[in-house]
């Protein structure tokens, strides 16, 4: 078997290790970490939940400098391993629990979180061939790119405390609008500010009281 090369990149104040079996961290997503960090400062007491953590970079940078505990979830064993290793390297291992499994299966029904972060795959399935360097599991969002994002919404709706907030990453404003309709139908979350960046879109979600 060929040896798998591990690479390291700077992500905000952190050094993040990863390899080709996980999605390479996108530098622009430090914006998601920064927004989540702002929400953490204002949020009710409680832990932080990260869905689709990948190498762990977004969630780790979000809690760096705070005393919040992070529960990071991913379905990829390789991603979970990198996330745990990166927590150790960042000096945050005592604040981080990495859970391997499906998003809707690894949380206890009564667990609640003050802030949630989600970076689901959002590339429409027919377009994944444009990104041959990226692991399919990390980018395939189903026919409209929103399959996993919708699951993230369900998990966040159930596990976010009243007054809590989430930052969700998507690919386009059109996806944000479509998911906003789903949020309105649910009646639990409210769509807040939407921020467009060169590499994607960030959506704030607020849990209503």
């Amino acid at each position: 078997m060929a040896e798998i090369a591990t690479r390291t990149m700077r992500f905000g104040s952190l050094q993040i290790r990863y390899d080709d079996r996980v999605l390479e961290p996108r530098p622009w997503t430090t914006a998601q970490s920064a927004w989540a960090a702002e929400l953490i400062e204002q949020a009710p007491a409680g832990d932080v939940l990260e869905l689709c953590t990948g190498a762990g970079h977004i969630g780790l940078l979000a809690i760096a400098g705070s005393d919040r505990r992070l529960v990071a979830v991913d379905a990829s064993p390789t991603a979970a391993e990198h996330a745990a290793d990166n927590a150790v390297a960042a000096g945050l291992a005592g604040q981080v629990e990495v859970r391997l499994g499906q998003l809707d299966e690894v949380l206890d029904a009564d667990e609640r979180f003050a802030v949630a972060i989600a970076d689901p795959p959002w590339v429409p399935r027919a377009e994944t061939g444009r990104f041959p360097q990226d692991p399919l599991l990390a980018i395939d969002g189903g026919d409209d790119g929103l399959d996993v994002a919708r699951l993230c919404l369900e998990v966040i709706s159930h596990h976010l405390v009243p007054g809590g907030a989430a930052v969700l990453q998507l690919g386009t404003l059109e996806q944000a609008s479509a998911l906003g309709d789903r949020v309105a139908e649910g009646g639990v979350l409210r769509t807040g500010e939407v921020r467009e960046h060169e590499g994607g879109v960030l959506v704030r979600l607020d849990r209503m009281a």
Side-chain angles (χ1 to χ4, degrees):
M1 293 180 62
E3 184 176 350
I4 298 172
T6 300
R7 288 174 283 176
T8 302
M9 70 171 292
R10 189 80 175 175
F11 188 79
S13 61
L14 305 180
Q15 291 287 340
I16 298 296
R17 291 171 61 85
Y18 65 100
D19 62 47
D20 288 340
R21 296 172 296 172
V22 300
L23 189 66
E24 181 178 11
R26 275 40 173 174
W28 80 268
T29 58
T30 56
Q32 187 171 16
S33 301
W35 199 358
E38 293 175 10
L39 298 179
I40 286 170
E41 291 182 356
Q42 306 161 7
D47 297 336
V48 178
L49 173 66
E50 182 177 25
L51 303 174
C52 307
T53 189
H57 46 293
I58 296 173
L60 292 174
L61 185 58
I63 67 162
S66 82
D67 59 359
R68 299 270 187 165
R69 179 173 173 271
L70 173 70
V71 174
V73 179
D74 205 284
S76 162
T78 303
E81 181 179 352
H82 278 302
D85 289 345
N86 284 323
V88 172
L92 295 169
Q95 293 174 236
V96 177
E97 179 186 354
V98 179
R99 298 188 191 177
L100 173 62
Q102 299 301 317
L103 306 182
D104 55 347
E105 297 177 357
V106 297
L107 300 175
D108 293 336
D110 60 351
E111 283 188 278
R112 297 293 181 269
F113 298 87
V115 173
I117 304 164
D119 179 16
W122 44 255
V123 177
R125 183 162 294 150
E127 299 178 22
T128 56
R130 296 168 47 203
F131 310 98
Q133 74 280 9
D134 294 332
L136 190 61
L137 179 64
I139 64 170
D140 184 355
D143 289 344
D144 62 355
L146 294 176
D147 281 1
V148 185
R150 281 187 283 266
L151 180 57
C152 286
L153 274 188
E154 293 179 15
V155 174
I156 291 168
S157 296
H158 183 77
H159 291 280
L160 201 63
V161 300
V167 183
L168 173 70
Q169 185 186 146
L170 298 170
T172 66
L173 290 174
E174 289 75 18
Q175 287 183 331
S177 178
L179 209 65
D181 293 339
R182 182 68 169 259
V183 170
E185 291 172 4
V188 175
L189 299 174
R190 178 178 59 243
T191 302
E193 183 181 357
V194 177
R195 299 180 182 179
E196 186 176 19
H197 295 266
E198 184 176 349
V201 172
L202 300 176
V203 181
R204 173 174 174 165
L205 302 168
D206 294 289
R207 174 67 155 82
M208 293 183 282

